[in-house]
Coordinates of all heavy atoms in Angstrom, one line a residue:
A61 N 8.7 4.5 3.6 CA 8.6 3.3 2.8 C 7.7 3.7 1.6 O 8.0 3.2 0.4 CB 7.9 2.2 3.6
I62 N 6.6 4.4 1.8 CA 5.8 4.8 0.6 C 6.6 5.6 -0.4 O 6.5 5.3 -1.6 CB 4.6 5.7 1.2 CG1 3.7 4.8 2.0 CG2 3.8 6.3 0.0 CD1 2.6 5.6 2.8
K63 N 7.3 6.5 0.0 CA 8.1 7.3 -0.9 C 9.2 6.5 -1.6 O 9.3 6.6 -2.8 CB 8.8 8.5 -0.2 CG 9.6 9.4 -1.1 CD 10.2 10.6 -0.3 CE 11.0 11.5 -1.2 NZ 11.6 12.6 -0.5
E64 N 9.9 5.7 -0.9 CA 10.9 4.8 -1.5 C 10.4 3.8 -2.5 O 11.1 3.4 -3.4 CB 11.7 4.1 -0.4 CG 12.7 5.0 0.4 CD 13.4 4.2 1.5 OE1 13.3 3.0 1.6 OE2 14.2 4.9 2.2
L65 N 9.2 3.4 -2.3 CA 8.6 2.4 -3.2 C 7.8 3.1 -4.3 O 7.1 2.4 -5.1 CB 7.7 1.4 -2.4 CG 8.5 0.6 -1.5 CD1 7.6 -0.2 -0.6 CD2 9.4 -0.4 -2.3
G66 N 7.8 4.4 -4.4 CA 7.2 5.1 -5.5 C 5.7 5.4 -5.3 O 5.0 5.7 -6.3
G67 N 5.2 5.3 -4.1 CA 3.8 5.5 -3.8 C 3.5 6.9 -3.3 O 4.4 7.7 -2.9
E68 N 2.2 7.3 -3.4 CA 1.7 8.5 -2.8 C 0.3 8.3 -2.3 O -0.5 7.6 -3.0 CB 1.8 9.7 -3.8 CG 1.0 9.5 -5.0 CD 1.2 10.6 -6.0 OE1 2.3 11.1 -6.1 OE2 0.2 10.9 -6.7
I69 N 0.0 8.8 -1.1 CA -1.3 8.6 -0.5 C -2.2 9.5 -1.3 O -2.0 10.7 -1.4 CB -1.3 8.9 1.0 CG1 -0.5 7.9 1.7 CG2 -2.8 8.9 1.5 CD1 -0.3 8.1 3.2
T70 N -3.3 9.0 -1.8 CA -4.3 9.8 -2.6 C -5.5 10.1 -1.8 O -6.2 11.0 -2.2 CB -4.6 9.1 -4.0 OG1 -5.1 7.8 -3.7 CG2 -3.4 9.0 -4.8
N71 N -5.9 9.2 -0.9 CA -7.1 9.4 -0.2 C -7.1 8.6 1.2 O -6.5 7.6 1.3 CB -8.3 8.8 -1.0 CG -9.6 9.5 -0.8 OD1 -9.6 10.6 -0.2 ND2 -10.7 8.9 -1.2
I72 N -7.8 9.2 2.1 CA -8.0 8.5 3.4 C -9.5 8.7 3.7 O -10.0 9.9 3.9 CB -7.2 9.1 4.6 CG1 -5.7 9.1 4.2 CG2 -7.4 8.4 5.9 CD1 -4.8 9.9 5.1
D73 N -10.2 7.6 3.8 CA -11.7 7.7 4.1 C -12.0 7.0 5.4 O -11.5 5.9 5.6 CB -12.5 7.0 3.0 CG -12.4 7.7 1.6 OD1 -12.5 9.0 1.6 OD2 -12.2 7.0 0.6
K74 N -12.8 7.7 6.2 CA -13.2 7.1 7.5 C -14.6 6.4 7.2 O -15.4 6.9 6.5 CB -13.5 8.2 8.5 CG -12.2 8.8 9.0 CD -12.5 9.7 10.2 CE -11.2 10.4 10.6 NZ -10.2 9.6 11.2
I75 N -14.7 5.1 7.7 CA -15.9 4.4 7.6 C -16.2 3.8 8.9 O -15.4 3.8 9.8 CB -15.7 3.2 6.5 CG1 -14.7 2.2 7.0 CG2 -15.4 3.8 5.2 CD1 -14.7 0.9 6.2
V76 N -17.5 3.4 9.1 CA -18.0 2.7 10.3 C -18.4 1.3 9.8 O -19.3 1.2 8.9 CB -19.1 3.5 11.0 CG1 -19.6 2.7 12.2 CG2 -18.6 4.8 11.4
L77 N -17.9 0.3 10.4 CA -18.3 -1.1 10.1 C -19.7 -1.4 10.7 O -19.9 -1.2 11.9 CB -17.3 -2.1 10.6 CG -15.8 -2.0 10.1 CD1 -14.9 -3.0 10.8 CD2 -15.8 -2.2 8.6
P78 N -20.6 -1.7 9.8 CA -22.0 -2.0 10.3 C -22.0 -3.1 11.3 O -21.2 -4.0 11.3 CB -22.7 -2.4 9.0 CG -21.8 -2.4 7.9 CD -20.4 -2.0 8.4
E79 N -23.0 -3.0 12.1 CA -23.3 -4.0 13.2 C -22.2 -4.0 14.3 O -22.4 -4.3 15.4 CB -23.5 -5.4 12.6 CG -24.7 -5.5 11.8 CD -25.0 -6.9 11.3 OE1 -24.5 -7.8 11.9 OE2 -25.8 -7.0 10.3
L80 N -20.9 -3.7 13.9 CA -19.9 -3.7 14.9 C -19.7 -2.3 15.5 O -19.1 -2.1 16.6 CB -18.5 -4.2 14.3 CG -18.5 -5.6 13.8 CD1 -17.2 -5.9 13.1 CD2 -18.8 -6.6 14.9
N81 N -20.1 -1.3 14.8 CA -20.0 0.1 15.1 C -18.6 0.5 15.4 O -18.3 1.2 16.4 CB -20.9 0.4 16.3 CG -21.2 1.9 16.4 OD1 -21.2 2.6 15.4 ND2 -21.4 2.4 17.6

Side-chain angles (χ1 to χ4, degrees):
I62 293 169
K63 183 178 179 180
E64 286 181 1
L65 294 169
E68 60 185 36
I69 295 175
T70 59
N71 208 15
I72 303 168
D73 292 315
K74 290 188 184 294
I75 63 168
V76 176
L77 298 176
E79 296 184 20
L80 299 175
N81 200 28

